[in-house]
Amino acid sequence: MSAANVKMLNRYHVIFLAQSIMVGTGILSLPQKLSAMGYTEWFMPVLFGIIATLTLWPMIWLCSKYPNEHLFRINEILFGKVLGKSLNLLFVIQFIIFSAGIISNYMHLIQSTALQEQTITLPVLCFLLLLIYIVSGGIKSIARFCMMSFFITIGMIYFTQWAIEKGEVSHLLPLFNFSGLDFFNAFKEGYLSVLGYELIMFYFPYIIDQKKAFRHSLIGIWISILLCFFTTVVSVIYYSEWQLKNVEFSVLNLFKAGELTFVERIDIIGITLWVFFILSTATAYVWCAKLGVDTLFKKKNSYQLYVIAAIIFLIIRMPFSREFQEKLFTASNYIGYMLIIWPIFLSMIYIVRKKKVQQ
């Protein structure tokens, strides 16, 4: 059955797919990634939002030329089957490693805070089983989970009130107190935290109202950008410059400023609720990887999802040092930038080929 016969994503699905996929673990350490700019980092999320808006347009434009095809099929159409499938295989590998990196970072967070004397093998297995259950329901199941995740977790903003009260608003000034190299390093590390909106090129064929896909996706993007902006501002107000650079998962540490008589560690609540964001992001990337495998083999099999999950488990639990894993996941993150630029390149190829056909 072609994608044209199974359009299932309404505007709310599109909005929350764009919003929830972007969050993941990136926002947890965003203030630290932008710390090269010091206190002036707080305006960077707005810049990220502008760039995301500009780069979203060529994605939607390209998809509108092939309304019933996802990016894997578009690659094969524009490059031919051999080169197209080779590129698709690279994308599939990148999605699998990227998903493993997201899950690994979250498990590292759990192990360093809540399960310091235990291994993460069992939590990873439980997480992957839940991931398989959600992905097996298809993109609509993932979209519904993203909607649920947003409304369950949005209340965590309440726990930042104590950090705002104890912080110094004067940290927000002066502006532009950084060098060009500082800006480049902060941008290179920080923009990774807002990746995820580019996956619309894979679920675009399933959108019911494709003409408004740009608007609806943009709403989701800016919801995430505003959340990133808010958490970055609060972090700048609350932390010193040294803490911004050295406190890992600084957003969760904001919750420790809270004072509730009936809860000893509020940050544990944040860690627990954050699993919804991790699942939203990981399920979307795994679904894209599964879609790529289906395209490569031209048939759908449920066992392929289990194979992908097994590969992710092996990557997370492989007998290598944490430093090696970090280098692997970082390389995968930077390759993710390719998906931002890729539709621009494909659009140029589409225009050139169209002109040749007309001539």
Side-chain angles (χ1 to χ4, degrees):
M1 184 179 292
S2 65
N5 298 322
V6 291
K7 295 187 185 301
M8 61 186 75
L9 301 178
N10 60 34
R11 57 181 176 177
Y12 300 109
H13 294 148
V14 177
I15 289 172
F16 288 103
L17 274 172
Q19 184 274 325
S20 295
I21 296 173
M22 287 176 65
V23 178
T25 57
I27 194 174
L28 288 174
S29 55
L30 179 60
Q32 185 185 37
K33 292 179 179 178
L34 298 176
S35 61
M37 296 176 61
Y39 283 145
T40 55
E41 69 174 48
W42 62 268
F43 73 91
M44 286 295 286
V46 178
L47 177 61
F48 294 161
I50 295 172
I51 295 174
T53 302
L54 295 176
T55 53
L56 177 66
W57 186 85
M59 299 177 188
I60 301 297
W61 184 87
L62 177 66
C63 290
S64 66
K65 302 304 177 184
Y66 302 94
N68 296 322
E69 306 291 352
H70 46 71
L71 186 61
F72 290 121
R73 283 285 301 128
I74 295 175
N75 284 338
E76 292 185 11
I77 293 171
L78 294 179
F79 291 103
K81 288 188 176 182
V82 176
L83 182 57
K85 286 183 179 293
S86 300
L87 291 169
N88 290 340
L89 178 60
L90 293 177
F91 283 138
V92 170
I93 295 173
Q94 195 274 334
F95 289 151
I96 292 175
I97 297 177
F98 191 84
S99 302
I102 295 170
I103 299 171
S104 177
N105 287 337
Y106 181 67
M107 293 302 164
H108 171 65
L109 170 62
I110 293 177
Q111 192 173 36
S112 61
T113 54
L115 303 175
Q116 297 180 0
E117 298 181 359
Q118 300 181 28
T119 64
I120 60 172
T121 301
L122 183 59
V124 171
L125 287 174
C126 294
F127 187 96
L128 290 175
L129 288 175
L130 186 55
L131 181 144
I132 291 171
Y133 175 76
I134 297 172
V135 175
S136 62
I139 188 63
K140 190 173 183 179
S141 172
I142 297 172
R144 288 174 173 175
F145 184 82
C146 289
M147 294 174 64
M148 181 185 71
S149 300
F150 175 80
F151 291 106
I152 289 177
T153 57
I154 191 64
M156 286 193 293
I157 292 178
Y158 172 81
F159 296 124
T160 62
Q161 62 172 314
W162 295 284
I164 297 174
E165 292 173 358
K166 297 177 180 180
E168 294 289 338
V169 181
S170 60
H171 289 176
L172 299 176
L173 295 173
L175 285 175
F176 309 113
N177 187 22
F178 55 88
S179 66
L181 181 60
D182 293 337
F183 175 81
F184 174 77
N185 290 331
F187 183 89
K188 180 183 66 174
E189 297 293 331
Y191 199 79
L192 294 171
S193 301
V194 298
L195 292 180
Y197 63 93
E198 71 278 3
L199 297 190
I200 192 173
M201 294 184 289
F202 299 94
Y203 59 79
F204 185 86
Y206 303 93
I207 297 175
I208 298 172
D209 191 356
Q210 294 181 339
K211 293 183 179 179
K212 296 182 179 179
F214 178 79
R215 181 194 307 174
H216 297 154
S217 185
L218 206 58
I219 293 172
I221 288 174
W222 277 97
I223 291 174
S224 285
I225 292 300
L226 290 176
L227 290 174
C228 291
F229 176 74
F230 175 78
T231 53
T232 305
V233 169
V234 175
S235 298
V236 167
I237 291 174
Y238 181 70
Y239 291 120
S240 66
E241 287 194 68
W242 183 91
Q243 289 174 318
L244 285 175
K245 292 181 179 180
N246 295 281
V247 175
E248 191 176 15
F249 305 117
S250 52
V251 173
L252 285 178
N253 280 275
L254 291 175
F255 299 156
K256 292 183 179 180
E259 298 175 356
L260 294 175
T261 57
F262 54 90
V263 178
E264 183 177 355
R265 291 189 61 184
I266 300 177
D267 59 314
I268 298 298
I269 299 177
I271 293 172
T272 304
L273 290 177
W274 216 274
V275 70
F276 289 97
F277 287 136
I278 306 304
L279 275 170
S280 299
T281 304
T283 51
Y285 277 97
V286 170
W287 177 82
C288 289
K290 172 66 164 57
L291 182 67
V293 174
D294 292 341
T295 305
L296 289 172
F297 294 99
K298 293 186 177 180
K299 59 181 179 180
K300 297 182 179 180
N301 289 308
S302 58
Y303 76 86
Q304 295 169 348
L305 178 58
Y306 294 95
V307 172
I308 292 173
I311 295 173
I312 291 174
F313 177 80
L314 292 175
I315 293 174
I316 296 174
R317 301 301 297 153
M318 60 183 175
F320 296 111
S321 64
R322 179 68 185 175
E323 290 74 16
F324 176 82
Q325 285 185 325
E326 288 295 334
K327 290 180 180 180
L328 177 64
F329 298 147
T330 301
S332 173
N333 292 340
Y334 289 142
I335 294 174
Y337 280 137
M338 179 181 176
L339 270 178
I340 305 296
I341 306 172
W342 193 244
I344 301 175
F345 179 64
L346 292 182
S347 299
M348 295 171 60
I349 295 177
Y350 172 82
I351 293 173
V352 171
R353 290 188 61 178
K354 186 177 180 180
K355 287 183 178 179
K356 288 184 178 181
V357 171
Q358 290 176 345
Q359 291 174 353

